[in-house]
């Protein structure tokens, strides 16, 4: 896996200087080697590597979806200073492939009536249960995305 961090010196004494929007320092999992980088507003980073190289593991670790260690800060706030749900409201992970297994949204719920109030609260119409949930694929060449608000 290759990130902007590969060009950075091993000792990141300047890690907490400046005003980066997203700061990652020594982020690792039991399968992922430590990664460090920071992004300022308007910057973009490309994470590339072979299949199985850890790109998805890195994005899932940043979003705190898998057990991990290291320092992750968003707009100067350390991830450990907020609850998991609060962090995931600010940092989202969009996988390349959706997690839907049935053909329609409604089929994913054993009782749509029990789930309908949540759908309405989220702004979805009642007919959302009939929306197709399969067959949609990302544009060729697009992979997983991470969004920080």
């Amino acid at each position: 896996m290759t990130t902007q961090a590969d060009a950075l010196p091993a000792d990141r004494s300047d890690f907490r200087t400046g005003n980066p929007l997203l700061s990652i320092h020594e982020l690792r999992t039991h399968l992922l080697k430590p990664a460090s980088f920071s992004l300022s507003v308007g910057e973009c980073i490309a994470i590339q590597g072979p299949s199985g190289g850890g790109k998805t593991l890195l994005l899932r670790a940043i979003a705190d979806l898998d057990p991990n260690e290291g320092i992750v800060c968003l707009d100067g706030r350390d991830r450990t200073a907020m609850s998991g749900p609060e962090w995931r409201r600010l940092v989202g992970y969009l996988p390349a492939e959706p997690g839907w297994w049935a053909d329609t949204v409604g089929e994913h719920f054993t009782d749509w009536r029990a789930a309908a109030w949540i759908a309405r609260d989220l702004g979805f119409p009642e007919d959302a249960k009939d929306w197709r949930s399969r067959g949609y694929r990302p544009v060729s060449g697009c992979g997983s995305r991470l969004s920080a608000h």
Side-chain angles (χ1 to χ4, degrees):
M1 174 178 57
T2 305
T3 67
Q4 176 184 0
D6 294 332
L8 299 175
D11 175 23
R12 291 284 304 183
S13 56
D14 64 335
F15 172 68
R16 290 190 184 258
T17 62
N19 251 348
L21 175 65
L22 180 67
S23 300
I24 309 295
H25 185 68
E26 296 293 313
L27 183 63
R28 62 195 169 280
T29 71
H30 71 285
L31 295 173
L32 180 67
K33 293 179 183 177
S36 297
F37 59 90
S38 63
L39 294 172
S40 295
V41 173
E43 286 187 309
C44 183
I45 188 171
I47 301 171
Q48 60 185 23
S51 179
K55 302 175 298 290
T56 298
L57 290 174
L58 175 61
L59 295 176
R60 289 183 57 85
I62 294 169
D64 202 25
L65 298 174
D66 296 328
N68 62 80
E69 297 177 16
I71 300 170
V72 182
C73 298
L74 181 64
D75 204 17
R77 288 186 65 196
D78 192 305
R79 179 176 66 183
T80 59
M82 60 186 90
S83 69
E86 182 181 2
W87 177 260
R88 285 183 283 281
R89 277 192 300 275
L90 299 171
V91 177
Y93 167 72
L94 179 63
E97 294 293 325
W100 300 97
W101 58 89
D103 289 330
T104 65
V105 171
E107 292 176 77
H108 290 89
F109 300 90
T110 55
D111 182 3
W112 176 256
R113 289 175 300 183
W117 70 272
I118 297 171
R120 278 192 306 275
D121 283 353
L122 292 172
F124 293 102
E126 177 65 27
D127 70 345
K129 69 178 179 187
D130 299 322
W131 291 354
R132 284 182 38 80
S133 58
R134 297 188 70 175
Y136 298 103
R137 296 287 180 255
V139 176
S140 179
C142 291
S144 302
R145 303 281 189 271
L146 187 77
S147 172
H149 304 271

